[in-house]
Amino acid sequence: MAIKDIYEGVLSFQVEKVKELTQAELDAGTDIQTILNDGLIGAMDEVGQKFSEGILFVPEMLMAAQAMKGGLAILKPHLSAEMSHSKGTVVIGTVKGDLHDIGKNLVAMMMEGAGLTVVDLGVDVEAEKFVEAAKANKADVVALSALLTTTMPSMETTIKAVKEAGLSVKNIIGGAPVTQAFADRIGADGQSDDAPGAVDLVRRLLGK
Ligand code: B1M
């Protein structure tokens, strides 16, 4: 039994095995950060890398994320508030009018896997709800997803509302129809084409 087995368990999508191994490491007194960083997060970093290289695809990334989430659920009660907030808080949702959530969920899971605290508002989220949640959770980042060209304007409305509320947060956007030119035009701090890229973007924006 070793952290390496947790890492391999995530890479081979074994939810139950990852949960059992994570619990076993906890019971053995292994440092939580080591389990998190060297096991779960490390494996998701490799998954993200392989996705970027075209070696793994969305279904595999979702399965690995599920396995990682299994381990994370075991660790969560043991993570101190300080640790769980140490890498930043992201408020994420699919913008108003849009019900697509598979990609957004994947982004949220990868962010959790990267040690960020994620507040997921779901789908069809009004601009005001993003503002309220960002305030209530002292968010570092507001992350908006849209899959429809018709809901892209909701991103602009939301970013405008966040800025008007005077919140000191970074706004990022993503989803199939989103481009860098669009992100620039609506004043977003960045955009990403995929979930691993969104994690990298947040890390860059937060200087981590
Ligand atoms: Co809809 N749909 N859909 N749909 N749907 C698309 C998006 C569409 C391209 C299909 C098509 O026509 N070829 C089209 C949009 C056309 C357009 O606007 N240009 C479309 C349409 C038209 C519609 C409806 C209007 C259909 C209708 O009712 N007439 C309707 C709209 C409903 C609404 O939202 N109001 C509709 C409904 C649905 C379902 C409910 C049936 C279902 C959604 C189920 C769900 O999400 N729970 C659905 C689905 C499944 C799709 C397709 C087939 C697949 C989307 C998906 O989940 N992809 C899609 C066609 C396609 O993409 N092939 C389509 C997998 C997912 C992992 O990828 O979401 O792109 P994706 O996420 C990626 C990146 O985009 C990125 O990272 C993810 C992972 O790498 N990403 C981010 C996403 N969010 C990000 C945020 C970030 C960063 C990266 O930072 C914040």
Side-chain angles (χ1 to χ4, degrees):
M1 182 182 72
I3 301 286
K4 193 171 148 285
D5 296 323
I6 296 179
Y7 189 103
E8 294 301 333
V10 173
L11 285 178
S12 52
F13 325 131
Q14 299 186 62
V15 181
E16 288 310 315
K17 188 177 168 198
V18 170
K19 281 162 115 176
E20 281 165 24
L21 290 170
T22 303
Q23 187 63 59
E25 285 294 335
L26 264 183
D27 294 344
T30 307
D31 174 50
I32 293 175
Q33 294 233 38
T34 306
I35 304 174
L36 195 61
N37 294 327
D38 297 352
L40 301 169
I41 295 178
M44 285 311 286
D45 279 346
E46 181 168 341
V47 169
Q49 185 58 35
K50 286 190 163 157
F51 176 79
S52 309
E53 291 165 4
I55 297 167
L56 289 182
F57 298 94
V58 165
E60 285 101 339
M61 197 154 62
L62 280 170
M63 289 189 287
Q66 285 299 347
M68 177 275 296
K69 276 200 114 179
L72 203 59
I74 303 285
L75 290 185
K76 239 176 190 167
H78 303 273
L79 292 168
S80 69
E82 189 201 342
M83 268 176 71
S84 61
H85 285 92
S86 62
K87 294 193 174 166
T89 298
V90 180
V91 166
I92 191 168
T94 304
V95 294
K96 184 166 184 268
D98 202 318
L99 302 176
H100 296 85
D101 69 354
I102 298 170
K104 182 266 296 168
N105 291 345
L106 188 52
V107 172
M109 281 192 258
M110 294 285 289
M111 286 182 175
E112 281 194 355
L116 293 155
T117 300
V118 176
V119 180
D120 188 347
L121 303 180
V123 297
D124 192 18
V125 182
E126 302 258 2
E128 275 321 307
K129 215 169 157 202
F130 279 106
V131 172
E132 283 163 21
K135 268 187 201 159
N137 294 283
K138 297 189 171 51
D140 301 293
V141 176
V142 171
L144 310 175
S145 178
L147 262 285
L148 300 171
T149 45
T150 50
T151 55
M152 289 166 76
S154 297
M155 292 179 144
E156 184 168 14
T157 312
T158 305
I159 289 181
K160 196 162 172 261
V162 170
K163 288 188 173 171
E164 280 174 4
L167 299 177
S168 160
V169 295
K170 301 289 184 188
N171 294 289
I172 69 165
I173 62 173
V178 167
T179 60
Q180 186 60 51
F182 177 71
D184 293 342
R185 191 171 69 68
I186 68 171
D189 295 297
Q191 74 90 32
S192 165
D193 293 336
D194 56 35
V199 171
D200 287 343
L201 178 60
V202 169
R203 281 177 174 156
R204 273 204 311 279
L205 288 172
L206 299 185
K208 309 254 158 87

